[in-house]
Amino acid sequence: MKKKQILLIIFLAVAVIPILFTACTKKAETKVTQEKVQTYTCPMHPQIVKNGPGTCPICSMDLVPFEKNNAQDFLILGASQRALANLNTMKVGENEFSHSSRLNGRLVTNPEQTVYVSSRVAGRIEVLYVKETGVPIRKGEPLYKIYSEQLSSLQQEYLIATAQVSSFPEDKRFYQMKNAARQKLLLYGQSEAQLSDLVKKQKVSPYVTYFAPNSGIIAELSVTEGQYVAEGSSIMKLEDYDRLWVEADVYPSDADKIRTGQKVQVIVSGYEDQPQTMTVDFINPALQTSKQIMQLRGTISNPNNQWQAGLQAIVLLPFSGQKYILALPVDAVIRDGNGSHVWVEIEKGKYQPRMVSLGAETFDEVEITGGLKNGETVVVSGAYLLYSEFILKKGKNPMSGMKM
């Protein structure tokens, strides 16, 4: 009997020892496996995942640890963390929303108010009364004096014709010759006052002064003193900045909102407190080949020439009636290549990312057309910090796997 008990004890010992060894081995393997779960990622590039510490091959930042199998889709922050991140929330509700589209534009010179001054006759520039660009000129002020033997001959011809008319007042042919000589001088840029002065003094001069045909700013000088010019040569360019064109880029999706004669609002960069009302004068019917956009154009007044051509401007169109919709501040919405999302406070200190679809947008607000319900609490300040914290702790984009 004792012999049987001893054999039973030996048999149990032989059976239990392998089982205990196997359990210890599995425990050790589990521990090793858990240790291998610890991986590292880059805070700025979560697609970089390594099994050990190091630096990011993209931005060279130090990698930080995260749990790769962390499947929680929310963040929990304490009171001190919320205060440090300056998190502010608001309940989503229907508010009045005035919709207007923003178009990027610029101020350009109005070519209808640009005057090119060219030489009426061949000759030599004796005097330039304006020697630099940017100088304002009023209509009637002298621009340049030219030496021209051709004008001297025409003046002599006119004086002879005038004398013949005085001597033979009944002969109509002399009147015709006088009018022809007078018309030549007028076509060459002589004024009525200059012709009257020529008849009064009875003295020709090869030096003739030309005056500004319009007021404006000297935008371009093409000659210098002493330079010979041919008939029709460019002398200078005058630009009037009292009225400027506004050209704005229009995407094809906004083309149906615009029509010629429509009133729009223009905000010049740096002068946001002085919005201007503009009428759309022209809409280019063709798309620009390189940009695939259209252009609209209108004119605004430029009091005291306070604006310069080249300034950036924003064109707002069209103004629609106010409506009640779900809207959030623009900064509450985070956008990237995967879409747009906000952070919803599901409990006090517990925040979850939520993908949303957007509608109309203004300077301050954006319409939420899907993804949120009336009464939900959304983070409106500090959303980008939550976004970074999620990537840092979870090692993935908050919107990965989400579907609208």
Side-chain angles (χ1 to χ4, degrees):
M1 187 69 179
K2 290 182 180 182
K3 186 177 180 179
K4 290 182 179 181
Q5 290 178 349
I6 291 172
L7 291 174
L8 180 62
I9 291 172
I10 293 173
F11 175 77
L12 290 174
V14 171
V16 170
I17 288 175
I19 295 174
L20 292 176
F21 179 77
T22 303
C24 292
T25 303
K26 288 184 177 180
K27 186 175 181 181
E29 290 177 352
T30 302
K31 185 177 181 181
V32 172
T33 303
Q34 289 178 348
E35 289 178 354
K36 289 183 179 179
V37 168
Q38 184 62 63
T39 53
Y40 295 79
T41 186
C42 174
M44 298 300 296
H45 303 91
Q47 70 271 23
I48 303 300
V49 178
K50 292 187 177 182
N51 293 327
T55 57
C56 175
I58 300 176
C59 63
S60 299
M61 290 183 64
D62 291 335
L63 301 182
V64 295
F66 77 99
E67 292 295 336
K68 189 174 182 180
N69 59 354
N70 191 346
Q72 293 179 340
D73 61 347
F74 57 84
L75 288 175
I76 298 178
L77 301 181
S80 60
Q81 290 176 308
R82 296 196 300 270
L84 185 63
N86 191 27
L87 291 183
N88 293 314
T89 60
M90 65 171 286
K91 284 192 175 183
V92 180
E94 292 187 345
N95 299 313
E96 287 186 349
F97 186 85
S98 181
H99 168 229
S100 61
S101 299
R102 299 174 57 185
L103 305 179
N104 294 322
R106 66 208 65 85
L107 302 184
V108 298
T109 304
N110 186 348
E112 297 175 353
Q113 296 183 273
T114 299
V115 177
Y116 288 89
V117 179
S118 57
S119 178
R120 299 293 185 90
V121 294
R124 183 179 68 247
I125 303 297
E126 288 295 315
V127 179
L128 271 177
Y129 294 100
V130 182
K131 296 181 174 64
E132 57 185 352
T133 59
V135 177
I137 290 292
R138 293 190 176 276
K139 183 178 180 179
E141 290 185 356
L143 294 179
Y144 65 96
K145 180 189 289 187
I146 190 171
Y147 170 83
S148 173
E149 295 181 358
Q150 181 182 3
L151 276 177
S152 179
S153 299
L154 290 175
Q155 290 173 4
Q156 186 65 45
E157 180 182 338
Y158 178 65
L159 288 178
I160 293 173
T162 303
Q164 289 175 334
V165 169
S166 300
S167 300
F168 305 97
E170 297 179 357
D171 195 333
K172 295 182 179 181
R173 290 178 302 173
F174 292 129
Y175 277 102
Q176 293 175 352
M177 293 174 62
K178 176 186 174 182
N179 290 334
R182 178 176 175 275
Q183 190 64 29
K184 286 181 182 180
L185 290 173
L186 291 176
L187 290 175
Y188 279 110
Q190 298 292 278
S191 64
E192 292 284 357
Q194 287 175 313
L195 294 183
S196 299
D197 187 62
L198 175 63
V199 173
K200 181 179 179 180
K201 294 181 178 180
Q202 290 291 308
K203 183 180 179 180
V204 299
S205 173
Y207 299 99
V208 181
T209 300
Y210 283 90
F211 300 88
N214 292 85
S215 299
I217 305 295
I218 304 296
E220 183 180 310
L221 272 175
S222 304
V223 297
T224 58
E225 287 185 352
Q227 179 179 339
Y228 281 86
V229 294
E231 183 177 346
S233 297
S234 176
I235 302 296
M236 61 184 67
K237 182 172 72 173
L238 297 176
E239 291 182 345
D240 190 352
Y241 299 136
D242 289 340
R243 298 181 66 80
L244 294 173
W245 273 2
V246 178
E247 292 183 346
D249 300 328
V250 183
Y251 290 97
S253 58
D254 292 327
D256 58 341
K257 303 176 184 177
I258 312 166
R259 64 185 184 277
T260 304
Q262 181 179 354
K263 300 289 185 181
V264 297
Q265 193 172 23
V266 178
I267 300 176
V268 181
S269 178
Y271 297 86
E272 287 78 8
D273 58 334
Q274 302 179 36
Q276 304 290 311
T277 301
M278 181 186 77
T279 302
V280 178
D281 298 326
F282 175 77
I283 301 174
N284 195 332
L287 295 176
Q288 294 184 10
T289 305
S290 58
K291 300 180 181 179
Q292 290 297 299
I293 57 176
M294 302 168 60
Q295 276 194 338
L296 66 80
R297 186 171 67 230
T299 305
I300 61 172
S301 59
N302 185 19
N304 301 320
N305 291 340
Q306 64 175 340
W307 299 322
Q308 296 78 37
L311 280 176
Q312 297 297 310
I314 297 295
V315 177
L316 303 179
L317 68 102
F319 295 104
S320 62
Q322 290 184 334
K323 56 182 179 179
Y324 287 88
I325 62 172
L326 291 178
L328 288 175
V330 173
D331 293 339
V333 181
I334 298 178
R335 316 175 206 211
D336 59 18
N338 296 319
S340 304
H341 75 278
V342 298
W343 287 86
V344 180
E345 187 178 47
I346 53 181
E347 296 178 10
K348 188 64 176 178
K350 190 175 182 179
Y351 305 95
Q352 185 181 50
R354 181 86 58 80
M355 183 176 283
V356 293
S357 57
L358 308 180
E361 185 174 345
T362 65
F363 286 112
D364 305 316
E365 293 183 308
V366 59
E367 178 185 3
I368 306 298
T369 58
L372 287 178
K373 296 180 181 179
N374 196 355
E376 289 188 296
T377 303
V378 177
V379 175
V380 295
S381 174
Y384 280 95
L385 291 176
L386 290 177
Y387 177 79
S388 301
E389 183 72 8
F390 190 95
I391 293 178
L392 182 65
K393 288 186 174 181
K394 311 294 183 180
K396 61 181 180 179
N397 191 296
M399 287 191 293
S400 59
M402 287 191 184
K403 292 182 179 180
M404 176 55 64

